[in-house]
Amino acid sequence: MGSSSKRKKEKQKDFQKPKLKVGKTRAKPENFTDTSFKSKSIVLNQQSLHLNAPSSNSVFTHNLSLLTSKSDSQPSERDAPFASPLILDGNTNVRTQLVKLLRTLPRHDIEDHVAQLLPYIRAGMTHLAADIRVSAVEILSWMVEAAGEQVVSCPGGWIKTLNCFLSVLGWHTEESSKWSSNRASFGKSGSQGRPMVKVLGVLAEFLDAGIGQHDAGDDESPEDDGFSSIWPFPLSCTGQHMISDSSAPYAYLNLFGQPRDEEGEMYETREDRFRVFSNRFMPVIERGVKSAREEGGEMGRASSGVSKVLKEAISYGPGA
């Protein structure tokens, strides 16, 4: 009985209001933290002051170090050359600054990095977010303009990228249907057809780089190929047998890489690309262009660019 009455008295203490005397403050709780102090100085570790402005190399190195930053408040500093994962960044400002930066890079710096950029671009083209898909298509347009030959001839650059285009446009073959079952929606602006117009325009640029007539050559004689003035008689066309100046001249052999299937293969010549295109993509793209032309308006005008490339490619034939 004694213990029970003791517990009752302890519980009653919790509900009793303490009597405060005049001029005395309430007792502070046990977990009270004093925050009334004020700091009179701020110390920054590793701070350095220079009379001269930092060099461009140091600024560039600093920007590279910020690539892993998760803050969206500094998008301009997070961008750097060939920052491939930023293509899929959820922040619109980051992707916008990335596109602006990529457009300032010299072309010879882009050609050797096409194979690393393309997988991220294809992932962006089939992304769930509509704005990321639009950004990926825009970046692909820039890369085709800067290094079109490398884009269409790198591993997976031809078939896999075409499958992405078909998935975005809803022009499915049996293979491209694995990427997406329905036509990709471009959000609110998609109802006006503007993103689809952009996709059709980039598709025309991509097809022109892969099977366009500019790859067919001008039927020049061996003496006019630019090598005869360099190599004296009796050497002829020797430059064509020299090792390429690219960073990976034997990449097409895939000596140390994973085995490639037909989709991941390199199609370095126009003849090979036209053969694959005519067998797997020509009918479905022709049907899609016809459907887009029937819609009229901007879609119809954009489809005419694709149709023009197809007609020129067919007229020149596979062996052109």
Side-chain angles (χ1 to χ4, degrees), residues 8-315:
K8 288 181 180 180
K9 290 180 179 180
E10 291 177 351
K11 289 183 179 179
Q12 289 176 357
K13 289 181 180 180
D14 297 335
F15 299 96
Q16 290 178 354
K17 294 183 178 180
K19 295 180 180 181
L20 301 178
K21 294 182 180 181
V22 179
K24 290 188 176 182
T25 58
R26 185 188 300 273
K28 297 179 181 179
E30 295 180 357
N31 59 350
F32 173 77
T33 301
D34 186 10
T35 59
S36 60
F37 64 89
K38 295 182 179 179
S39 177
K40 296 183 179 180
S41 63
I42 299 177
V43 179
L44 299 177
N45 293 332
Q46 299 179 351
Q47 184 182 19
S48 61
L49 300 177
H50 298 279
L51 296 177
N52 299 325
S55 64
S56 58
N57 291 336
S58 61
V59 173
F60 183 74
T61 304
H62 171 68
N63 290 339
L64 285 178
S65 66
L66 296 175
L67 283 175
T68 57
S69 172
K70 299 303 181 182
S71 174
D72 293 335
S73 61
Q74 297 176 337
S76 60
E77 292 188 355
R78 295 179 56 195
D79 300 328
F82 308 111
S84 304
L86 296 183
I87 297 175
L88 307 176
D89 197 285
N91 187 279
T92 304
N93 292 332
V94 171
R95 297 194 309 275
T96 302
Q97 296 297 326
L98 176 63
V99 173
K100 292 181 180 179
L101 176 62
L102 291 175
R103 292 188 179 278
T104 63
L105 297 177
R107 295 192 176 187
H108 60 82
D109 288 342
I110 300 168
E111 296 176 353
D112 293 335
H113 299 273
V114 168
Q116 290 77 27
L117 280 167
L118 263 183
Y120 289 94
I121 292 177
R122 289 195 292 263
M125 293 176 66
T126 55
H127 201 276
L128 293 177
D131 54 346
I132 294 181
R133 290 197 295 271
V134 174
S135 298
V137 172
E138 186 176 356
I139 294 175
L140 179 60
S141 175
W142 157 79
M143 196 160 63
V144 169
E145 178 185 356
E149 179 64 26
Q150 286 72 25
V151 171
V152 298
S153 62
C154 72
W158 185 238
I159 294 182
K160 289 184 178 181
T161 308
L162 280 174
N163 280 329
C164 283
F165 273 113
L166 297 184
S167 297
V168 172
L169 294 168
W171 304 347
H172 291 299
T173 62
E174 182 179 354
E175 294 82 3
S176 65
S177 61
K178 299 177 183 178
W179 295 71
S180 175
S181 59
N182 297 315
R183 181 174 178 170
S185 172
F186 281 88
K188 184 177 181 180
S189 60
S191 60
Q192 301 177 3
R194 294 175 183 173
M196 286 300 176
V197 171
K198 179 65 176 178
V199 173
L200 284 174
V202 179
L203 175 59
E205 297 171 1
F206 181 78
L207 292 177
D208 185 55
I211 58 177
Q213 71 178 67
H214 58 84
D215 285 338
D218 298 326
D219 296 328
E220 295 179 346
S221 61
E223 291 78 14
D224 298 331
D225 59 4
F227 297 106
S228 57
S229 60
I230 302 176
W231 304 99
F233 180 82
L235 302 178
S236 177
C237 302
T238 307
Q240 297 180 354
H241 304 285
M242 300 293 289
I243 298 177
S244 173
D245 294 333
S246 63
S247 61
Y250 300 110
Y252 67 95
L253 297 176
N254 195 30
L255 297 177
F256 306 103
Q258 297 293 331
R260 297 171 183 161
D261 53 8
E262 186 179 7
E263 291 187 355
E265 192 55 69
M266 297 177 66
Y267 298 95
E268 297 186 282
T269 64
R270 180 191 180 277
E271 181 179 2
D272 291 338
R273 292 191 292 267
F274 186 86
R275 172 180 51 80
V276 173
F277 179 79
S278 60
N279 292 336
R280 302 180 59 170
F281 301 102
M282 180 76 79
V284 66
I285 290 183
E286 287 180 338
R287 290 195 302 267
V289 169
K290 180 180 179 181
S291 177
R293 185 168 58 248
E294 292 174 352
E295 292 187 21
E298 293 185 4
M299 286 286 290
R301 289 190 292 271
S303 65
S304 63
V306 180
S307 180
K308 179 181 178 181
V309 175
L310 294 180
K311 291 179 181 178
E312 292 177 352
I314 294 174
S315 64

Side-chain angles (χ1 to χ4, degrees), residues 1-12:
M1 292 296 291
S3 60
S4 61
S5 61
K6 184 179 180 180
R7 285 196 297 270
K8 288 181 180 180
K9 290 180 179 180
E10 291 177 351
K11 289 183 179 179
Q12 289 176 357

